[in-house]
Amino acid sequence: MDGNSSSRNSSLSGRFQVSLNVLICLVTQKKKKKLKENGNGAFKFNEKRIPASSPSGALYHFGTSGISVAVATGLTHPLDVLKVRLQMQLVGQRGPLIGMGPLFVQVMKNEGPKSLYLGLTPALTRSLLYGGLRLGLYEPSKYACDRAFGSNNILFKIASGAFSGAISTAVTNPVEVLKVRLQMNSDLRQRGPIAEMRRIVSKEGIGALWKGVGPASVRAAALTASQLATYDESKQILVNWTPLEEGFYLHLTSSTIAGLVSTLITAPIDMVKTRLMLQRESVVGSYKNGFHCAYQVLRTEGPRGLYKGGFAIFARLGPQTTITFILCEKLRKLAGLNAI
């Protein structure tokens, strides 16, 4: 009797152990599908994705990035026009500056609502190319760093962002020059972007299309490095230390942090870039280079001069960053790419 009871208990125990092992296997497999831990302890979502190194992957990276940046640019373009106007206030002088609100009223009154969309065509063209390259090159660059150095820490993220930002700006600088010229002068609107580009080349030479390429590349490198590295790192920290998971609220929070950090870093560089691109339009003498421009601004306008239009930059860059990343993450998911 005792032998039968012992045999029965042993059988039940064996069945329970088998069931427990099956349950553990199922839970483990489910977790592995959701999260994959890399060498740094960071988590990657959606393991089965198109690799960044493949031709189709590169095309999807470029397409999703370009579309998301173009949509964000179109929605925030009026703020970009106001930012350029604010940066060109009291060139070479000190004095009280007009705020974004009064400038908006002034532009609407004197030039009409259409003036808030000056330079929209080159802005959207540039967004597709620049945005596609800037965001599209980030993941492959990060992947290359991971393969070459076996690490994906914050320094490699910053380096990947700086590289992709600088390259994309050097390629698309002519469209940026054209956009800024059109935004500053409403009379050019009747000519159109093609006619204005011909005028610049015939009167100032083809080199004029690369005016300000130095500070523009520095700004793009700083912007992309601060924006993408901050967004990437913020997501990782928030996932590890808060209840947030991959999704809308995580993207919203991370992109807001990235927008604030990138504005603080890039506002002075953006102002120098705008001054260099518009120096033929300005009433003061030409600047020799970006450093000379920054020195002259500090000397004649004070430290505040480097942050002219700073609020407008954040008012534009904050929403633009948020829209870009939220839309880009959605498009990447539909395209079968990893989340940033």
Side-chain angles (χ1 to χ4, degrees):
M1 187 74 178
D2 288 343
N4 290 337
S5 176
S6 176
S7 177
R8 193 179 297 121
N9 289 337
S10 177
S11 176
L12 288 172
S13 176
R15 288 177 186 176
F16 176 77
Q17 187 65 39
V18 169
S19 301
L20 185 61
N21 288 338
V22 170
L23 183 61
I24 289 170
C25 286
L26 288 171
V27 170
T28 304
Q29 285 176 0
K30 190 175 180 182
K31 281 186 177 181
K32 282 182 178 178
K33 283 181 182 178
K34 185 182 178 185
L35 299 171
K36 181 183 178 182
E37 190 172 13
N38 66 14
N40 298 329
F43 292 103
K44 292 182 180 179
F45 296 85
N46 302 319
E47 184 180 348
K48 193 176 180 181
R49 295 293 187 182
I50 297 171
S53 56
S54 67
S56 60
L59 183 63
Y60 282 133
H61 275 287
F62 181 86
T64 55
S65 303
I67 291 168
S68 58
V69 173
V71 170
T73 298
L75 293 173
T76 59
H77 188 76
L79 293 167
D80 192 39
V81 174
L82 293 176
K83 177 211 74 175
V84 170
R85 300 289 181 94
L86 286 167
Q87 288 175 333
M88 294 306 294
Q89 289 184 85
L90 300 174
V91 176
Q93 306 171 51
R94 295 175 187 259
L97 301 174
I98 301 173
M100 190 167 68
L103 179 65
F104 171 75
V105 173
Q106 182 182 313
V107 170
M108 290 287 285
K109 183 180 176 181
N110 297 336
E111 302 175 40
K114 284 186 178 180
S115 62
L116 294 173
Y117 287 92
L118 289 169
L120 181 61
T121 301
L124 292 176
T125 305
R126 177 181 177 273
S127 294
L128 285 168
L129 299 173
Y130 168 73
L133 288 170
R134 187 170 73 89
L135 271 70
L137 285 173
Y138 176 71
E139 281 293 320
S141 300
K142 201 169 71 167
Y143 173 79
C145 287
D146 194 22
R147 289 292 299 270
F149 303 101
S151 177
N152 225 351
N153 62 34
I154 183 68
L155 294 176
F156 288 113
K157 290 175 184 177
I158 291 171
S160 300
F163 170 77
S164 57
I167 292 295
S168 57
T169 293
V171 172
T172 60
N173 198 75
V175 192
E176 174 72 1
V177 171
L178 184 61
K179 182 200 79 168
V180 171
R181 295 285 182 97
L182 289 170
Q183 286 177 334
M184 197 61 198
N185 195 341
S186 59
D187 295 334
L188 299 178
R189 180 174 56 197
Q190 296 167 354
R191 267 191 227 155
I194 303 298
E196 175 58 15
M197 182 170 279
R198 285 176 183 162
R199 188 196 71 80
I200 292 171
V201 172
S202 62
K203 289 195 173 182
E204 302 176 40
I206 196 165
L209 295 174
W210 272 271
K211 271 186 180 178
V213 69
S217 296
V218 172
R219 176 194 175 271
L223 171 66
T224 311
S226 59
Q227 201 177 53
L228 281 167
T230 302
Y231 178 77
D232 201 344
E233 201 68 15
S234 296
K235 275 183 67 178
Q236 185 176 312
I237 292 168
L238 288 168
V239 166
N240 290 341
W241 295 98
T242 71
L244 288 173
E245 296 180 355
E246 185 70 25
F248 175 77
Y249 292 109
L250 177 63
H251 301 159
L252 177 64
T253 308
S254 302
S255 59
T256 303
I257 296 168
L260 179 60
V261 171
S262 56
T263 299
L264 291 171
I265 291 172
T266 61
I269 308 171
D270 187 84
M271 198 281 306
V272 170
K273 179 208 73 170
T274 301
R275 290 285 179 90
L276 285 172
M277 288 180 174
L278 286 168
Q279 61 181 336
R280 284 292 178 93
E281 309 286 334
S282 178
V283 295
V284 297
S286 61
Y287 302 113
K288 294 175 184 176
N289 51 50
F291 291 109
H292 181 246
C293 178
Y295 170 73
Q296 288 294 334
V297 170
L298 281 169
R299 190 175 67 82
T300 59
E301 302 170 45
R304 238 182 113 199
L306 289 173
Y307 278 90
K308 279 182 181 177
F311 180 74
I313 291 174
F314 178 70
R316 169 185 167 268
L317 192 57
Q320 187 186 42
T321 303
T322 303
I323 294 166
T324 297
F325 281 126
I326 290 174
L327 183 57
C328 190
E329 293 280 24
K330 287 289 182 187
L331 291 174
R332 288 170 71 90
K333 187 177 179 181
L334 290 173
L337 300 172
N338 281 327
I340 295 173

